[in-house]
Amino acid sequence: MKHHLIIALTAMAVPGSHAFGQEADIQPETLTVEERISEGEHVYVMDMGISGPSQVSVLNAEDLSMEGNIGAGNFSQMLMSPDRSTLYTSSVYQRRYTYGEIEAVVHEWDAATLNARREFTISDKLAQTLSQKGVLNLSADGAYLVVQNATPATSVNIVDLTAGADLVEIPTPGCWTAYPTIEGHAFSTLCGDGTVTKYGYAPDGSAGEPAKSEKIFDSDTNPLFGNAVRVDGNLVYVSYAGALHVVDDSGEVPVLVRTVDFAEEGWAPSGYNLMGYHEPSKTLFITMNSTPFDGSHKLPAEEIWAIDMESGNVTGRGAANGESSIAVSGGETPAIFGIDHLGGVHRYEVTLGDSVTITKAVSREGVAFFPTIVATDY
Amino acid sequence: MKHHLIIALTAMAVPGSHAFGQEADIQPETLTVEERISEGEHVYVMDMGISGPSQVSVLNAEDLSMEGNIGAGNFSQMLMSPDRSTLYTSSVYQRRYTYGEIEAVVHEWDAATLNARREFTISDKLAQTLSQKGVLNLSADGAYLVVQNATPATSVNIVDLTAGADLVEIPTPGCWTAYPTIEGHAFSTLCGDGTVTKYGYAPDGSAGEPAKSEKIFDSDTNPLFGNAVRVDGNLVYVSYAGALHVVDDSGEVPVLVRTVDFAEEGWAPSGYNLMGYHEPSKTLFITMNSTPFDGSHKLPAEEIWAIDMESGNVTGRGAANGESSIAVSGGETPAIFGIDHLGGVHRYEVTLGDSVTITKAVSREGVAFFPTIVATDY
Amino acid sequence: MTRIIDAFLKRLDGLTEANIRGAARRNGRRSFLARGGSALLGAAVAAPVLPFDRRAHAAEGGTDDPCTYWRHCAIDGFLCDQSGGSLTTCPPGSTVSAVSWVGTCSNPGDGKEYLVSYNDCCGKPFVPTATFCNNNKGERPGYRMGLYNDVNWCTANADKGYHCTVSVVVGLAE
Amino acid sequence: MTRIIDAFLKRLDGLTEANIRGAARRNGRRSFLARGGSALLGAAVAAPVLPFDRRAHAAEGGTDDPCTYWRHCAIDGFLCDQSGGSLTTCPPGSTVSAVSWVGTCSNPGDGKEYLVSYNDCCGKPFVPTATFCNNNKGERPGYRMGLYNDVNWCTANADKGYHCTVSVVVGLAE
């Protein structure tokens, strides 16, 4: 809160604060900056900027009221740190806004004060793509960012957070997304040849050879979404047709350990960041639509389904509101936050048990122009 | 129209165009860039960017269809050159879009191809202010840009167009807007002390002493709008109350030569760039509202009035559409283009004569978020 | 097709036509405005706070248009209290503009005239859900810079991006 | 208050729910899509033009939603023909993306399947009055990059700002 006095302004007098309050009962108000958002729980909604800045709106989780925002560059990605103290963004700045040289920038935002703790540039190969979970992630030890590049040739950039600089670029041709393994220095990526491929790297900047799984899907006839979630250590992908593909990537080579074909006839998953997992109850939530066809995989959601990841059964279905992406909170009982294709934000209350209920509790319309990804700080 | 082939893309085949059209009756379509907007007449509508780029929409003057656009920085100003071949913009780019170092940039856009012929940086004291006629102008000989600065201390920046660089900054404390004189190297500015003050400069970068008019208005009790138009060599300002102030700034010191108190009881001017002049018919057009009060001077227009600048009489009134700014075309019979406070654009047809009629012919809604200034290329 | 922005801009400007007038018309020229060229630089920053009505503006005057709240009589911007701040605080992570413009507004609660400093908060994008108010009581072009509301008052800050605007009561008008 | 963007976004996405289906459902997998990982780089640039239906899309199918025009079956972007260009030309002053994604669309006029190159035009802001279409027939995530429509295809150009998208017919699908 700097307060320069501009002394060269001949057009302006410069009254001190004592110039007011001449009358005993009047004292000037104080102008300050809010030190932080409220204590408690919040939702972070990305409004991805195409021609202008991306913007993260920070809403109160209870009533979805506006508590502040964050501005980043074009095509921003977003990641909440595991301890919920830091929101990472990676985005691209063009020198002339819509043309000219670019800089790709990582920001570490204090998730409570909404100040940038730090920013630094990374390789400008950073994928300029719709904000999605597989593009910006933290290594298991929190020391590295794992960043998807696209020029549009694909590679993965390992960013050393201590140094605030790129460590190594690993070519990942024909593959997309990069989910860090839950131990060590490696990530897994989904490839057009139907495999999940694992790449290792080391703090000295060396990278290992790719380790390919067996073919676990067919990108022509049975494609998987790029969006994945970690479920009890495994990576869970979902197919356009509605089958979960559970991949164990802890070993030398990723292995498909299970598929869960949960979609009933006439329903299929659709959306962008379309899944969220609630660990305490082993429940996966996913957005669904009732009219599958070739091209329906991004339709606004009609329902949100709950899947018990132990039994593989659908344990609940609730009416949705045209969501394209969701986030699931922590806590004993989760809340679900959905962002719809018109820019609205919705909070759903969940009751757990053999039968899960999902009920919309609060909505706030028009929060974003291009809503892409949503996160919580709890 | 560069067409790089990205050869490193292992995920992609690179078919030549001959790879298609295997069947005799099929040939691939050609993808090109439109070389220019249509021949004929156009309207340039500024949508001033606050958090993102400013955008100039180029519309066909006849049906207001979209012919292309131009992107600039924040708080862009706009000026059509006298020969209608060049659209100048001056705007500010922030390195991180909403914070960080700034660059103030002048663009010379080819008004037909919508390509930038040239761009260069100028003093970053450039006023970050709502786009208005008094901020960006060309000297009489076309060799210099005359640019309003505000830090918010006010000064005027003379920009040498041949060099593409600042020539001299002239302090203009307590004054606002800078209209070049119609001969020589000088400009006139409107000052809070009630004067019009003239400043000269020379190609060697020297600047003369300010030459102040008598007090011609009272900025407390009878303020003038900053917007002015040239009428047969004189500068015409209008007061909040509705009196034209005609100033001859061709001599050593600006002189008030005439006032025209045209506003009928119950009406007052309102808007931003609220006047336009049609030289062949000596007709001034101005936006008006019917509810004058302290603060009404920016209300959306209810009517557009025509004033015969020889007699000083109001010769016509037409219903408006909430315009905040207008532009008047050249030609024997003018068209008026208005931009309303909701972002719509309206073309008005005019019939001249002892009694002038002003009738809306075409509207196009939603062209801009923050419409500020409008120009024509005829 | 072109409805895009209509609703947005209705918020921006609709109010100018109706609500301002009641409050604004009652007020003539302020003596403050008569001090040729004088104005404020920023609101007081570290002074004690006192007796101003902190009721939500929505409670004021039976309208739900926040722009009609009396202290907004010469505001031109997005409301900070809908952007994560309040009437007198900038949202978290933004900075206070070093300079400001000033209005003289009549408080219907006590009938007195107050000086209001309109500071911009800086360094972040504007919030699209925040209401934009455009009131112009006593407003003047840039030749009276301290009364002018069509410039970016973040211009004197290190971070110059316009975020939102606060309305801070800084004293009695006379 | 929050109506701002509703209308805007309705344009963006409303159509996905209704109109695509008719056309899209009829089409199964294309042989083109079966060529693992292959795709197009840009549309042909200097080749002769021939026999494609250049009727305005609005005339197609009795609807005024331009997104239902058959060649837009996998488009994801603002229409260039509402931005100053046409179905096959970028607006003046922009540049053609050096790379593109591809769709396989069925032309109801002749019953044939065509390959359509979706090129972005680059270097200018998007036009807010232009319609945004989001169709996804045959669309795949970035592991099939040439079929992926959620990246900025201006990324390989000198000027990388996204402006609008064209739908250029480049050949028969088989």
Side-chain angles (χ1 to χ4, degrees), chain A residues 269-308:
Chain A
S270 64
Y272 293 87
N273 299 287
L274 76 175
M275 293 190 290
Y277 183 59
H278 184 244
E279 200 282 329
S281 65
K282 310 290 187 197
T283 308
L284 182 80
F285 296 92
I286 183 167
T287 53
M288 302 289 290
N289 81 84
S290 67
T291 49
F293 60 88
D294 178 8
S296 71
H297 56 287
K298 294 178 184 172
L299 287 183
E302 294 169 44
E303 291 190 359
I304 301 172
W305 289 16
I307 301 167
D308 174 21

Side-chain angles (χ1 to χ4, degrees), chain A residues 345-365:
Chain A
V345 181
H346 311 280
R347 179 165 64 80
Y348 295 85
E349 289 175 354
V350 174
T351 62
L352 298 170
D354 290 344
S355 175
V356 172
T357 66
I358 301 165
T359 315
K360 194 183 79 170
V362 190
S363 289
R364 184 178 168 92
E365 303 299 334

Side-chain angles (χ1 to χ4, degrees), chain D residues 77-98:
Chain D
F78 291 94
L79 297 181
C80 286
D81 63 350
Q82 296 184 2
S83 305
S86 72
L87 284 172
T88 59
T89 57
C90 287
S94 66
T95 55
V96 173
S97 70

Side-chain angles (χ1 to χ4, degrees), chain C residues 26-153:
Chain C
R26 274 177 244 119
N27 304 309
R29 229 68 310 290
R30 281 297 85 54
S31 67
F32 176 76
L33 299 186
R35 292 188 223 151
S38 66
L40 282 184
L41 264 82
V45 170
V49 185
L50 262 177
F52 301 102
D53 185 347
R54 290 184 177 278
R55 282 176 297 170
H57 36 62
E60 196 86 22
T63 167
D64 61 356
D65 180 352
C67 300
T68 59
Y69 183 48
W70 68 270
R71 65 166 75 192
H72 294 326
C73 79
I75 199 173
D76 183 11
F78 291 94
L79 297 181
C80 286
D81 62 351
Q82 295 185 2
S83 305
S86 71
L87 284 173
T88 59
T89 58
C90 287
S94 66
T95 55
V96 173
S97 69
V99 287
S100 68
W101 79 100
V102 160
T104 303
C105 303
S106 177
N107 180 348
D110 61 10
K112 290 182 178 167
E113 303 285 322
Y114 290 93
L115 295 176
V116 180
S117 174
Y118 301 103
N119 286 76
D120 289 339
C121 302
C122 310
K124 288 173 180 284
F126 71 79
V127 172
T129 49
T131 300
F132 190 100
C133 298
N134 185 5
N135 295 341
N136 292 289
K137 181 168 173 294
E139 201 263 356
R140 293 291 180 272
Y143 53 72
R144 295 285 293 276
M145 187 57 79
L147 306 177
Y148 188 40
N149 68 16
D150 283 332
V151 292
N152 175 16
W153 282 96

Side-chain angles (χ1 to χ4, degrees), chain A residues 5-52:
Chain A
L5 290 184
I6 305 295
I7 57 172
L9 284 180
T10 54
M12 297 187 178
V14 185
S17 59
H18 61 276
F20 304 106
Q22 314 90 319
E23 314 211 355
D25 60 339
I26 299 297
Q27 299 248 352
E29 293 179 331
T30 302
L31 170 56
T32 58
V33 177
E34 297 287 343
E35 282 178 21
R36 51 161 297 157
I37 58 176
S38 66
E39 304 283 343
E41 298 165 344
H42 304 89
V43 195
Y44 296 72
V45 178
M46 173 61 75
D47 186 2
M48 189 184 77
I50 295 176
S51 294

Side-chain angles (χ1 to χ4, degrees), chain A residues 6 9 12, chain B residues 77 92 102 104 123-130 132 135 147-157 169-177, chain C residues 99 142-143 145 148 150-157 160:
Chain A
I6 305 295
L9 284 180
M12 297 187 178
Chain B
Q77 306 296 324
V92 167
I102 68 167
S123 166
D124 63 13
K125 293 181 179 176
L126 171 65
Q128 294 179 37
T129 186
L130 189 136
Q132 54 193 286
V135 172
V147 180
Q148 178 70 57
N149 289 342
T151 62
T154 49
S155 60
V156 170
N157 183 14
E169 177 188 354
I170 301 172
T172 54
C175 304
W176 183 248
T177 68
Chain C
V99 287
Y143 53 72
M145 187 57 79
Y148 188 40
D150 283 332
V151 292
N152 175 16
W153 282 96
C154 293
T155 190
N157 284 37
K160 302 185 200 301

Side-chain angles (χ1 to χ4, degrees), chain D:
Chain D
M1 189 83 58
T2 54
R3 305 282 150 252
I4 316 172
I5 317 175
D6 289 10
F8 180 68
L9 285 155
K10 251 170 213 130
R11 271 192 344 182
L12 300 193
D13 283 58
L15 50 118
T16 47
E17 299 200 66
N19 301 312
I20 310 167
R21 295 174 190 172
R25 266 178 171 163
R26 275 176 244 122
N27 303 311
R29 224 77 302 292
R30 282 296 86 55
S31 67
F32 177 75
L33 300 187
R35 294 187 221 151
S38 67
L40 282 184
L41 263 83
V45 169
V49 185
L50 261 178
F52 300 101
D53 185 346
R54 290 182 177 280
R55 282 177 297 170
H57 36 63
E60 197 85 23
T63 166
D64 62 356
D65 180 352
C67 300
T68 60
Y69 184 48
W70 68 270
R71 64 167 74 190
H72 294 327
C73 79
I75 199 174
D76 184 12
F78 291 94
L79 297 181
C80 286
D81 63 350
Q82 296 184 2
S83 305
S86 72
L87 284 172
T88 59
T89 57
C90 287
S94 66
T95 55
V96 173
S97 70
V99 288
S100 68
W101 79 100
V102 160
T104 302
C105 303
S106 177
N107 180 348
D110 62 10
K112 291 182 177 168
E113 304 284 323
Y114 291 93
L115 295 177
V116 180
S117 174
Y118 300 104
N119 285 76
D120 289 338
C121 302
C122 309
K124 288 174 179 282
F126 71 79
V127 171
T129 50
T131 300
F132 190 100
C133 298
N134 184 5
N135 295 340
N136 292 288
K137 181 167 172 294
E139 200 264 356
R140 293 292 179 273
Y143 54 70
R144 295 286 293 277
M145 187 57 79
L147 305 178
Y148 189 39
N149 69 16
D150 284 332
V151 291
N152 176 16
W153 282 96
C154 293
T155 190
N157 285 37
D159 293 333
K160 302 184 199 302
Y162 171 79
H163 183 37
C164 62
T165 304
V166 294
S167 300
V168 182
V169 175
V170 290
L172 277 172
E174 47 218 320

Side-chain angles (χ1 to χ4, degrees), chain B residues 134-180:
Chain B
V135 172
L136 180 68
N137 283 287
L138 269 175
S139 63
D141 62 3
Y144 301 95
L145 284 175
V146 177
V147 180
Q148 178 70 57
N149 289 342
T151 62
T154 49
S155 60
V156 170
N157 183 14
I158 307 297
V159 176
D160 181 339
L161 280 172
T162 307
D166 296 335
L167 175 69
V168 57
E169 177 188 354
I170 301 172
T172 54
C175 304
W176 183 248
T177 68
Y179 295 102

